Structures are given as structure tokens and as C-alpha cells.
């Protein structure tokens, strides 16, 4: 009976609560923090394209290097454009006042972006920029309408135009001028970038699951021992 | 060793205390599942204090740097992420455990004579715990921290005449600001934990004076053997210490599984908007408190103009119940006077103010339980269908209120009603559980209580 009530409640609630978010559906993305190569490619994209405007002000370069297996030499040479100390935070040199003049809003810090929004959202957002002659900077995004950010990655993705939405609400695009990457390569690159942003949101996630598994195994053993200890002691309690 | 113990015992009642509270504290031998949550609440309190101490070593109670210092703990402090998750999720675990602990009281009549003081002290602990967690929630200085505190403190503003001044006094500013953060920090880490520890001590002393209740709701002290030991009692140590150990391990498995594998717990334990730093210019789309406050928040939001006629009805009903259940003229006079005052107040004051009043009453009502409940038996095992139904309706109302409180009033609808209508219905049924209790607890057809405890 209890189960039935629960099922009824859930069935009645779910459609209406979904309808509340009347935005575009998100593209599924597979993120895997175990894939070091993907994280490294994502990091490269991040420092080359995002970090010029967006900070990741809670993250340190050398921590990223250690976690992702990038040598300090590589970081110094290819990644640290805006800092000189290995332990520096990943800040940007663009002053906030200027940023507001240029974009109308300061680009948000991206350290925790995948924890504020879902990884799927970030991935979809990165794929859905399109050319829009009416926007001040010529770009728009179907997931985040009239976004202040221009399409920084258009060289890679190419220039696409929004032609409408399909019956499920997904946007449909038409490629006008292809970029240096094929659509498949671009999707893969964005998956790497999203993967890196998931890592950036919580570096501890790399070790959290491993330690958690050991802790669970230990507790399972302790449960067996404590259960038999209790049983042994309670042998002399008579239930009558 | 025994010589050393003698030396101590001559100067401090060590053996005496050990015996009184553990080795010769006789607890009924039929404790079931519901009796784990008292000791678990103590465990969580210790976890919170220990992890809290380590967090204060790295946390900055400063509006400019508080958010960054939490991320510093999460990233740069060795094991900081674990300590922080243990503490943040420990807050939710505390309420899970305490709600179950309180529900046990409703099941088996643990609030009944002679345990009224145990119950009252427990209720005070609950209120203090709510203050503790509310103030702690501001400290990460995320956007939901900020706006949650902003909304809840502004509730003081609904109090006539003094409200605005009071809210300002609590905040120390016109809006939630650095001054608010610093005082909340002081209360959260020093003042309130001290009070909490003292209250827990009193709660246990009061309990050990009267002895534990049990699932049958009968007094084990009525049946003693030749040595004066209750026949159905067993020493707390070692029997319940080893039994509680099993409970502790099971609890740790669930708690740590969430800490390690699902720390956000689908946005219930760590809210999405709290990963954004506090921003007075950017209101979150839905300002919702953490899950354990949502039932009361729902009651607050449910109190609109349309509910006010029901509120007036509930006031009249309370007076009627008081008249039916008391024969003393003075008591009747007081009930009529207080009722009349509230009734008139329900026309004068705004629904916003009444929302705060009802929210307050939803917790105050718990304090009155020992006197509202007039049943000849304690345990639900020997009560009739009326109490069982009432308790089921109460739990249902509490859960629905909690669920509705998590969502925007305009967005969720369940079956035919909108969120706010459900919240209003459940506010009324929540109130009726208490208001009608002096009647149905007496009218209920109870079964005879057994002489000795049962194992079911």
C-alpha cells in the first residue's frame, strides 16, 4: 500500500515539475575522470580558450598539473600565460570594470560551473552557438538566449545558423562555414572540455570514490564483527 | 589498577557514575529499531563538533573571503574536502536521526508521564538545533546561504511594531552582510554548541532519573525481582552498548556512502545555488531552505488570506476542545479569553504575520504533547484506530508539507491541487492532529496493556 501511494505521488508529480523548466532539452555527455588523456586535452582547451576571460580562481596550476599528470615544464611553457608562480591560482588579468564595458557583464568564474549547472548543460551550451546578425557581437546561443559571450570556439566548430527546433525541442543547425574540426571532432573536444570542468569543480572527486570504496569494505567487515559480538552478548537474554 | 580506581573514587564518583548510567542502568530488554536514534544523535553531535573544530582552523568568517575559504578547504587543505563533506552532510544526518528519534516518541508515548521533562528538554534541543543549523548554513556564504538568511530573518519584520527593528538588530545591518556572517559564526561555533551540549546532558540526566520507555509503553520498574532489579530490564552496558554498536556501523555505512559517493544528494544536502558566491544583486530562481526546514516553510507560505477563515475556525475549535475537556471554571475562562484574543487577532493582523505565528505554533505544539495526549495507554500497540489514523495523517501532512516546501508554489501540482492548496490542506491537518488530540486520544478504544514486555 505504502509503495502504491508513493508510486502514485511520483507519477502525478514528475511531468508537471518537468514542464516548469521550459528550456531546451540537454545533450547527454559522458564524463570520466579516470580518462587522463581526455582531462589533459580538456585542460589545454580550457587554458587556451576560456582562461583568457574566465577565471578558475579557486584552482592552482601546480595542483592541476599533479592531478592530470602534466609536467611543471609543460605547464610553465604552454599553460601559464597569466601567472608566474607554480602554485598561482588560475585568475585572469582582464579587469572586471573593462569586462563589464566590453561584454555588459563580467565573465563568471568557472571553478564550480559544473556544480552550479549540470555537465550536460555545459556540454550543450558549448555546442549550441550560432551566427545571429541581430546580436551586438554577431553570436547567439539557443540554450542561453542573448548570451553576452561571443562564440570563442567558432574557429574549431565553424559558423552555424539556427534553422528551428525538432519535435522534441532540440535545436537544428545548418553549417554555413566549416571550422578546423569536423562536427564529430568538435563534439569530442567539447566532451573533453566538459570532463575537465567536472574535474575543476571538485578535484577531490579523483580520489573520493577510491577512498569511499575502501571505507565501505572496512565498514562491511566491522558490521559482521559487531553483529556477532552483539549476538554473543545477547545469548543470555531470554525473550519471554 | 583497582588501587588507582579507589584513589579516584575517593575524590570523584567515577565508579558510581559508571554504574548509574551504564553498567547498572537498567533499560527494557525489548528495544526495537526505533531505539537506535538516541545514541546515533549523540554520535552525530560528536562528529559535528570534531569536524567543526577542524573547519574553523581554515574557514574565514568574512564576507569577502568566506566562500573562497570553503573552496580552499575543499581543494588545498589536506583531507579538507572530507572534513567539509562530513560536516555539511552531518547537518542533514542530524535531522534525519532527530526526526526519527522524535517519531519514536509519538509511536510509543515516550512523552507521557513521568517523562514530560525528558520530552520538553528534547523539544528545546530540537529548537536550538534548528537555530544552530540555520546559522551554520549562512557560513559558506553561497548565494542560497545569503538569500535563505535574508528571507528567514526578514520574517521578524512581520511582527507588528517592533519587527523591523528586531530584524535589523538580528542582522546587525539593513541587509544580511559581513556583520551578520560574523555574529552567526560566533553563535554557530561557540554559543549554541555549548548550550546544545548542556541540554543534551540534562536530557540524559532526566531520562536516567525516570528510566527509558519501551515499545510496549509499560513501566518495567513495576516488576522488580528480589534485588530490586526490574525483571524486564537489562544493564545498558554491555547489552545496549554492543547493540548500539551495530546501529552505529549501519548508520556509518549509509552516512559515509553519501559522503563519498553522493555528497550533493541530488541537490538536497548541498544545493546547486550554493556553489555560487553570495550575490545581493542576483536572487536565485527558487529560494528554498534545506529539506529539514521545508515543512515549516510550507506552512509559512500556505498562510494566505484564503487560509485565514480556516485559522479562525481552528482557534474556535481549540476553545471548544478546551471546554469539553476541562471542568474547572477558571481553566474555561482562561481558554475563552485566550481564544477570543487570538480570534480578534486573526482579523487585525496580516496573513504574513499569521504565517510566522503558525510556523512557530507548529513547533510549540510539540512541547504541549504530554498534556494534549490523554490516552490511558502509551504505546501505539495498544491504541485504537483513531490515534493510528491521526498519526498517519500527521506523518502524511509533514511529508507533503516538506515536499511542497522544496518547490516553487506556482510550479508543482499534485493530482488536482496546486502546491499552495496542498500546503494549506496539510497545514490544517497538521494542526488538527494536535488540537483534536485531547478528544480522540480519550475516545479511542484501547487494548489492555500487558504485565510484562513483549518481543515483536
Amino acid at each position: 500500500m505504502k509503495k502504491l501511494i508513493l508510486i502514485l505521488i511520483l507519477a502525478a508529480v514528475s511531468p508537471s515539475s518537468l514542464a516548469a523548466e521550459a528550456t531546451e532539452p540537454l545533450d547527454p555527455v559522458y564524463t570520466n575522470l579516470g580518462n587522463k588523456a581526455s582531462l589533459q586535452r580538456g585542460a589545454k582547451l580550457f587554458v587556451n580558450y576560456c582562461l583568457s576571460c574566465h577565471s578558475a580562481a579557486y584552482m592552482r596550476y601546480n595542483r592541476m598539473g599533479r592531478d592530470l599528470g602534466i609536467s611543471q615544464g609543460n605547464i610553465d611553457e604552454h599553460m601559464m600565460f597569466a601567472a608566474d608562480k607554480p602554485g598561482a591560482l588560475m585568475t585572469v588579468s582582464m579587469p572586471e570594470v573593462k569586462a563589464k564595458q566590453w561584454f555588459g557583464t563580467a565573465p563568471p568564474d568557472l571553478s564550480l560551473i559544473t556544480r552550479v549547472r549540470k555537465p550536460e548543460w555545459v556540454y550543450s551550451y558549448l555546442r549550441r552557438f550560432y551566427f545571429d546578425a541581430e546580436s551586438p557581437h554577431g553570436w547567439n546561443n539557443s540554450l542561453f538566449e542573448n548570451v553576452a559571450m561571443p562564440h570563442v570556439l567558432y574557429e574549431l566548430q565553424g559558423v552555424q545558423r539556427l534553422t528551428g527546433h525538432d519535435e522534441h525541442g532540440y535545436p537544428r543547425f545548418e553549417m554555413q562555414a566549416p571550422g578546423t574540426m569536423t562536427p564529430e571532432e568538435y563534439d569530442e573536444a567539447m566532451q573533453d572540455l566538459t570532463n575537465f570542468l567536472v574535474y575543476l569543480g571538485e578535484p577531490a572527486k579523483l580520489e573520493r570514490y577510491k577512498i569511499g570504496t575502501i571505507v565501505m569494505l572496512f565498514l562491511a567487515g566491522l558490521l559482521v564483527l559487531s553483529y556477532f559480538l552483539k549476538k554473543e552478548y545477547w545469548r543470555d537474554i531470554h525473550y519471554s | 589498577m583497582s588501587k588507582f580506581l579507589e584513589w579516584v573514587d575517593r575524590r570523584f564518583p567515577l565508579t558510581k557514575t559508571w554504574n548509574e548510567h551504564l553498567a547498572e542502568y537498567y533499560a527494557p530488554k525489548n528495544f526495537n529499531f526505533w531505539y537506535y536514534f538516541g545514541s546515533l544523535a549523540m554520535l552525530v553531535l560528536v562528529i559535528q563538533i570534531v569536524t567543526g573544530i577542524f573547519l574553523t582552523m581554515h574557514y574565514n568568517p568574512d564576507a569577502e573571503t568566506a566562500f573562497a575559504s570553503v573552496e580552499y578547504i575543499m581543494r588545498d587543505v589536506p583531507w579538507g574536502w572530507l572534513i567539509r563533506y562530513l560536516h555539511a552532510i552531518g547537518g542533514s544526518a542530524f535531522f534525519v536521526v532527530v526526526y526519527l528519534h522524535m517519531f519514536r516518541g509519538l509511536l510509543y508515548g515516550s512523552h507521557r508521564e513521568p517523562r514530560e521533562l525528558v520530552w520538553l528538554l528534547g523539544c528545546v534541543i530540537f529548537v536550538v538545533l534548528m537555530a544552530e543549523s540555520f546559522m551554520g548554513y549562512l557560513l559558506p556564504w553561497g548565494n542560497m546561504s545569503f538569500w535563505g538568511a535574508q528571507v528567514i530573518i526578514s520574517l521578524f519584520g512581520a511582527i507588528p511594531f517592533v519587527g523591523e527593528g528586531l530584524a535589523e538588530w538580528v542582522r546587525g545591518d539593513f541587509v544580511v552582510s559581513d556583520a551578520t556572517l560574523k555574529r552567526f559564526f560566533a553563535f554557530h561555533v561557540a554559543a549554541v554548541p555549548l548550550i546544545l551540549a548542556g541540554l543534551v546532558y540534562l536530557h540524559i540526566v532526566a531520562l536516567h532519573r525516570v528510566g527509558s520507555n519501551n515499545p510496549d509503553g509499560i513501566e518495567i520498574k513495576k516488576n522488580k525481582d528480589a534485588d530490586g532489579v526490574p525483571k524486564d530490564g537489562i544493564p545498558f552496558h554491555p547489552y545496549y552498548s554492543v547493540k548500539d554498536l551495530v546501529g552505529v556501523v549501519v548508520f556509518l555505512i549509509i552516512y559515509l556512502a553519501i559522503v563519498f559517493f553522493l555528497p550533493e544528494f541530488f541537490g538536497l544536502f548541498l544545493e546547486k545555488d550554493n556553489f555560487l558566491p553570495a550575490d545581493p544583486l542576483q536572487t536565485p530562481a527558487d529560494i528554498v531552505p534545506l529539506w529539514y526546514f521545508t515543512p515549516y516553510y510550507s506552512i509559512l507560505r500556505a498562510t494566505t488570506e484564503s487560509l485565514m477563515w480556516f485559522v479562525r475556525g481552528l482557534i474556535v475549535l481549540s476553545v471548544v476542545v478546551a471546554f469539553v475537556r476541562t471542568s474547572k471554571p477558571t481553566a474555561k475562562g482562561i481558554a475563552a479569553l485566550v481564544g477570543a484574543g487570538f480570534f480578534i487577532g486573526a482579523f487585525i493582523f496580516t496573513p504574513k504575520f499569521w504565517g510566522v505565528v503558525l510556523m512557530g505554533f507548529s513547533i510549540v505544539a510539540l512541547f504541549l504533547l504530554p498534556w494534549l495526549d490523554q490516552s490511558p495507554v502509551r504505546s501505539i500497540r495498544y491504541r485504537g484506530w483513531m490515534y493510528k489514523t491521526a498519526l498517519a495523517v500527521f506523518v502524511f501532512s509533514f511529508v507533503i508539507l516538506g515536499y511542497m516546501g522544496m518547490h516553487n508554489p506556482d510550479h508543482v501540482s499534485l493530482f488536482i491541487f496546486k502546491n499552495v492548496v496542498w500546503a494549506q490542506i496539510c497545514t490544517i491537518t497538521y494542526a488538527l492532529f494536535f488540537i483534536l488530540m485531547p478528544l480522540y486520544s480519550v475516545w479511542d478504544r484501547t487494548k489492555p496493556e500487558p504485565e510484562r514486555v513483549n518481543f515483536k
Side-chain angles (χ1 to χ4, degrees):
Chain A
M1 189 60 196
K2 269 187 201 159
K3 257 190 196 155
L4 185 70
I5 292 170
L6 195 70
I7 289 166
L8 280 174
I9 290 174
L10 288 177
V13 172
S14 14
S16 51
S17 49
L18 279 179
E21 289 169 21
T23 51
E24 284 181 357
L26 302 176
D27 303 324
V29 62
Y30 174 71
T31 58
N32 173 15
L33 295 193
N35 188 346
K36 279 272 162 69
S38 158
L39 289 176
Q40 287 172 356
R41 289 194 298 268
K44 200 172 147 198
L45 281 166
F46 183 79
V47 293
N48 280 299
Y49 290 93
C50 313
L51 196 57
S52 2
C53 298
H54 292 279
S55 59
Y58 308 120
M59 190 66 195
R60 294 178 197 282
Y61 285 99
N62 59 350
R63 168 77 192 267
M64 179 185 79
R66 263 203 320 275
D67 283 349
L68 305 190
I70 308 172
S71 72
Q72 192 60 45
N74 267 331
I75 287 183
D76 288 342
E77 208 171 317
H78 303 296
M79 290 181 158
M80 281 177 55
F81 306 122
D84 44 10
K85 291 198 182 93
L89 293 165
M90 300 169 86
T91 50
V92 286
S93 39
M94 183 168 66
E96 206 180 308
V97 182
K98 286 282 176 210
K100 275 189 184 152
Q101 274 176 16
W102 296 333
F103 301 106
T105 175
D109 185 272
L110 293 184
S111 308
L112 291 158
I113 191 69
T114 50
R115 304 196 84 179
V116 178
R117 303 185 183 270
K118 296 189 192 91
E120 289 79 7
W121 189 95
V122 173
Y123 177 66
S124 308
Y125 171 79
L126 289 167
R127 296 180 69 222
R128 292 183 192 177
F129 276 97
Y130 64 92
F131 175 72
D132 180 4
E134 278 163 36
S135 144
H137 48 63
W139 296 103
N140 209 330
N141 190 301
S142 67
L143 185 63
F144 191 149
E145 274 177 54
N146 301 320
V147 65
M149 175 177 158
H151 190 13
V152 177
L153 297 162
Y154 82 95
E155 281 177 348
L156 308 181
Q157 189 185 23
V159 181
Q160 54 181 10
R161 192 187 282 281
L162 183 71
T163 56
H165 288 81
D166 69 7
E167 69 267 30
H168 303 294
Y170 286 98
R172 264 196 297 225
F173 298 104
E174 193 186 74
M175 193 54 78
Q176 305 254 289
T180 54
M181 287 181 169
T182 65
E184 289 75 26
E185 281 169 350
Y186 183 74
D187 287 354
E188 225 166 274
M190 291 309 101
Q191 187 170 316
D192 292 337
L193 183 53
T194 309
N195 202 17
F196 173 74
L197 288 169
V198 171
Y199 155 77
L200 192 65
E202 194 196 357
K205 214 173 182 176
L206 289 173
E207 48 186 359
R208 186 151 64 77
Y209 296 125
K210 279 181 221 153
I211 298 168
T213 310
I214 297 166
V215 169
M216 287 300 121
L217 288 173
F218 171 78
L219 285 174
L222 199 60
L223 180 64
V224 173
L225 289 180
S226 61
Y227 174 74
F228 283 108
L229 183 72
K230 185 253 166 189
K231 224 179 154 185
E232 180 59 32
Y233 268 98
W234 279 65
R235 214 201 278 275
D236 38 301
I237 304 296
H238 302 290
Y239 298 97
S240 64
Chain B
M1 188 65 199
S2 70
K3 257 203 166 151
F4 174 67
L5 207 58
E6 256 172 52
W7 187 90
V8 174
D9 274 333
R10 254 181 284 129
R11 289 155 181 86
F12 181 90
L14 187 64
T15 309
K16 185 168 167 272
T17 311
W18 172 264
N19 284 341
E20 251 173 53
H21 295 285
L22 292 164
E24 283 167 22
Y25 174 69
Y26 292 95
K29 58 182 178 181
N30 60 336
F31 280 177
N32 59 12
F33 166 76
W34 295 102
Y35 284 78
Y36 284 113
F37 299 105
S39 54
L40 288 181
M42 289 254 285
L43 173 74
V44 180
L45 179 64
V46 172
I47 291 175
Q48 291 303 81
I49 289 174
V50 173
T51 53
I53 289 170
F54 282 94
L55 287 178
T56 51
M57 294 177 195
H58 305 284
Y59 169 77
N60 274 350
D62 177 281
E64 285 291 312
T65 54
F67 187 85
S69 75
V70 173
E71 280 307 313
Y72 168 74
I73 291 169
M74 290 297 291
R75 290 154 195 269
D76 294 340
V77 175
W79 297 100
W81 61 272
L82 180 58
I83 303 281
R84 193 273 174 124
Y85 277 154
L86 286 173
H87 196 78
I89 292 148
S92 279
F94 217 150
F95 277 89
V96 170
V97 167
V98 164
Y99 277 137
L100 293 171
H101 185 59
M102 291 164 81
F103 181 63
R104 190 273 315 275
L106 293 179
L107 280 180
Y108 301 130
S110 310
H111 48 282
R112 303 293 302 280
E113 199 272 334
R115 295 182 185 84
E116 298 97 325
L117 273 184
V118 182
W119 178 262
L120 287 183
L121 284 163
C123 288
V124 177
I125 291 174
F126 177 56
V127 172
V128 173
L129 190 62
M130 285 166 71
E132 175 73 350
S133 78
F134 169 65
M135 290 189 282
Y137 190 63
L138 182 68
L139 304 187
W141 205 243
N143 212 23
M144 196 59 96
S145 298
F146 178 86
W147 285 97
Q150 188 78 336
V151 168
I152 301 302
I153 300 174
S154 74
L155 292 180
F156 287 101
I159 299 170
F161 311 120
V162 294
E164 282 305 328
L166 193 63
E168 215 177 287
W169 182 69
V170 171
R171 283 189 295 255
D173 204 335
F174 301 108
V175 288
V176 171
S177 70
D178 187 60
T180 324
L181 176 63
K182 285 196 163 69
R183 62 187 55 193
F184 274 29
F185 177 71
F187 278 111
H188 181 79
V189 306
V192 183
L194 275 176
I195 297 171
L196 214 48
L199 285 168
V200 169
Y201 174 76
L202 295 179
H203 188 58
I204 291 166
V205 169
L207 173 72
H208 287 194
R209 179 84 175 95
V210 290
S212 308
N213 186 35
N214 65 78
D216 278 309
I218 57 172
E219 271 321 322
I220 59 163
K221 285 180 181 173
K222 280 184 187 160
N223 261 309
K224 287 183 178 169
D225 65 13
D227 301 327
V229 173
K231 284 180 190 162
D232 284 331
I234 48 175
F236 187 91
H237 180 75
Y239 294 107
Y240 280 113
S241 37
V242 294
K243 193 178 177 191
D244 281 352
L245 189 65
V246 182
V248 163
V249 176
V250 171
F251 167 79
L252 284 180
I253 287 174
I254 298 167
Y255 168 59
L256 292 177
I258 294 171
V259 165
F260 283 107
F261 300 108
L262 279 171
E264 290 149 22
F265 206 68
F266 316 107
L268 278 181
F269 292 177
L270 293 172
E271 289 176 303
K272 260 174 37 182
D273 283 297
N274 240 17
F275 288 112
L276 284 172
D279 186 350
L281 298 177
Q282 193 194 346
T283 321
D286 293 323
I287 302 178
V288 285
L290 273 187
W291 67 271
Y292 41 80
F293 287 144
T294 52
Y296 318 106
Y297 189 57
S298 239
I299 290 176
L300 177 81
R301 290 197 303 193
T303 318
T304 57
E305 195 55 53
S306 56
L307 191 78
M308 284 313 291
W309 277 107
F310 291 99
V311 173
R312 288 164 200 140
L314 290 173
I315 294 168
V316 173
L317 187 65
S318 309
V319 176
V320 171
V321 171
F323 265 65
V324 172
R325 291 295 303 148
T326 52
S327 47
K328 287 186 202 133
T330 39
K332 280 185 180 173
I334 291 169
L337 221 60
V338 172
F342 273 102
F343 193 72
I344 295 166
F347 285 95
I348 297 173
F349 298 116
T350 59
K352 189 190 172 194
F353 172 65
W354 274 94
V356 178
V357 171
L358 289 189
M359 193 168 69
F361 271 154
S362 64
I363 293 154
V364 169
L366 292 169
F367 285 76
L368 305 177
L369 217 56
W371 297 277
L372 294 176
D373 189 352
Q374 303 273 331
S375 172
V377 300
R378 284 191 195 130
S379 169
I380 195 159
R381 289 181 180 174
Y382 308 105
R383 297 207 197 215
W385 65 270
M386 286 188 197
Y387 185 78
K388 285 175 186 167
T389 312
L391 189 59
V393 169
F394 174 72
V395 170
F396 178 78
S397 312
F398 190 78
V399 171
I400 294 291
L401 282 170
Y403 178 77
M404 293 304 172
M406 287 175 204
H407 296 89
N408 188 309
D410 301 325
H411 286 174
V412 182
S413 53
L414 205 64
F415 302 120
I416 37 178
F417 299 128
K418 277 203 324 196
N419 184 333
V420 63
V421 179
W422 270 108
Q424 289 175 332
I425 293 170
C426 292
T427 301
I428 295 166
T429 47
Y430 184 105
L432 287 177
F433 173 73
F434 293 100
I435 294 173
L436 295 179
M437 189 179 279
L439 299 181
Y440 65 74
S441 62
V442 178
W443 293 344
D444 217 2
R445 277 171 74 112
T446 56
K447 284 178 248 171
E449 287 178 329
E451 269 301 296
R452 301 282 300 272
V453 299
N454 279 308
F455 294 93
K456 292 200 240 192

